Amino acid sequence: MKSIPSFFSHLECSSCRTVHDHTVLQTVCTRCGRSLLAKYDLKSAQRKFTRDQLQSGEGTLWRYRELLPVLFEENVVSLGEGQTPIFRLKRLGSALGIQNLWLKDDSFNATGSFKARGLSVAVSKARELGAKELCIPTAGNAGSALAAYAAAAGLRSHIYMPDDTPQTNVVECRLYGADVHLVRGLISDAATAMNREKDAGWFDVSTMKEPYRLEGKKTLGYEIAVQFSWRLPDVIIYPTGGGTGLIGMWKAFGELGELGWLDKRRPKMVAVQTTGCAPVVRAFEAHAGTSEFWNGASTIATGLRVPKAFADNLILDALYDSEGAAVAVSDDDILATISKVAALEGLLLSPEGAATAAALPTMLESGVISPSSVILLCNTGSGLKYAEVLQRSAGLEQ
Ligand SMILES: *Cc1c(COP(=O)(O)O)cnc(C)c1O
């Protein structure tokens, strides 16, 4: 067995700091029920490892293997995830009066969304620790990614999703050989159904109830640091559902800071949600530490249709710590933005990714961003997965 020179040292509760055994499968903290975080021996990493090493290597997120939790090469399940491009949005920027507008385009990932990052690492680690069957409640893309990575690993997957999830996600999961359950309601109802039906042997990889999807998502932050030559953007705008990408990027910047590879500046982290489901925005506006369940959640941006994020406290911490913001946009703004960005930039954004661009005018007006800020939007998925939404966007008057 070829071992990976990883600096992974332990698992620690994000709330009560209890240390948990990382040599067995873990979900949440057995003491307080909150999310566990993977920790690394950054002191020895600093001595033995350089910034340049982090920038070189293969064209997937596994080039960051020293700062990932998988310990043996043979357990790595890769479908080419990560190392996605950043584009400068010149034409959209000029239309909005913003000079320095960029887009991290994660639609290039396997299964067409950034969920591939998290599930590549989570499925690899679950396989390393002996899991045979994995289960997940999903709004769509996380299910597709789990189904694909489980197939590649030769593991069984059980997917619970709302019965109005975009058709592409449902069909995709079936083709990957997953056991698919359509549940009336939202992702929260899918989770309830899963918890009722699941076998003792199924390992639950729900967002932030499993420690390693976050590790995959944090590689977004490493890539951004490298792609911006270690001078992070002023503002990062992220479409927030369960929040793993946002929490993950913030964790990555913290780690790179501890390694001494970043200056003191940190981006303002901005969470974008939709007016049909904005629990984090509401909590942020009330300066609250956690969010309230959003009743009647409804939006075309299915990845953002999360009525209450399990790790809402960590999302809000990142927003407050970074002096960031939280903004809601409407489905109509999203539809108009999809066609605008497609026509101006040649990029077909997911509704979630389009939400980050749709938030720009309000943010300029409120002063959260200025025309000279270096702004990075996150396109978390491919528009091609949302045939129904694209039809509506194309039908709008230009
Ligand atoms: C899941 C998803 C999101 C939300 O990501 P979280 O990590 O849950 O906040 C955003 N966009 C797309 C396309 C998604 O699939």
Side-chain angles (χ1 to χ4, degrees), residues 332-367:
D332 285 347
D333 286 342
I334 291 176
L335 289 169
T337 304
I338 290 174
S339 52
K340 185 169 181 178
V341 175
L344 285 176
E345 300 287 352
L347 296 169
L348 206 53
L349 305 185
S350 61
E352 298 83 357
T356 65
L360 291 169
T362 357
M363 291 176 59
L364 271 175
E365 239 168 76
S366 65

Side-chain angles (χ1 to χ4, degrees), residues 167-236:
Q167 266 308 304
T168 311
N169 289 123
V170 180
V171 172
E172 215 186 346
C173 289
R174 292 206 169 113
L175 290 171
Y176 293 131
D179 164 37
V180 178
H181 301 255
L182 297 178
V183 178
R184 182 169 306 208
L186 303 171
I187 186 172
S188 40
D189 302 294
T192 307
M194 185 184 90
N195 288 324
R196 196 173 53 231
E197 294 173 16
K198 82 181 172 40
D199 274 12
W202 298 5
F203 180 60
D204 179 358
V205 294
S206 295
T207 302
M208 297 305 288
K209 293 185 182 172
E210 179 283 338
Y212 304 115
R213 281 173 66 186
L214 183 68
E215 295 307 290
K217 291 280 184 80
K218 84 176 176 188
T219 60
L220 263 176
Y222 293 165
E223 287 174 28
I224 291 167
V226 172
Q227 287 170 306
F228 277 90
S229 308
W230 306 96
R231 280 190 54 82
L232 298 176
D234 298 322
V235 185
I236 296 180

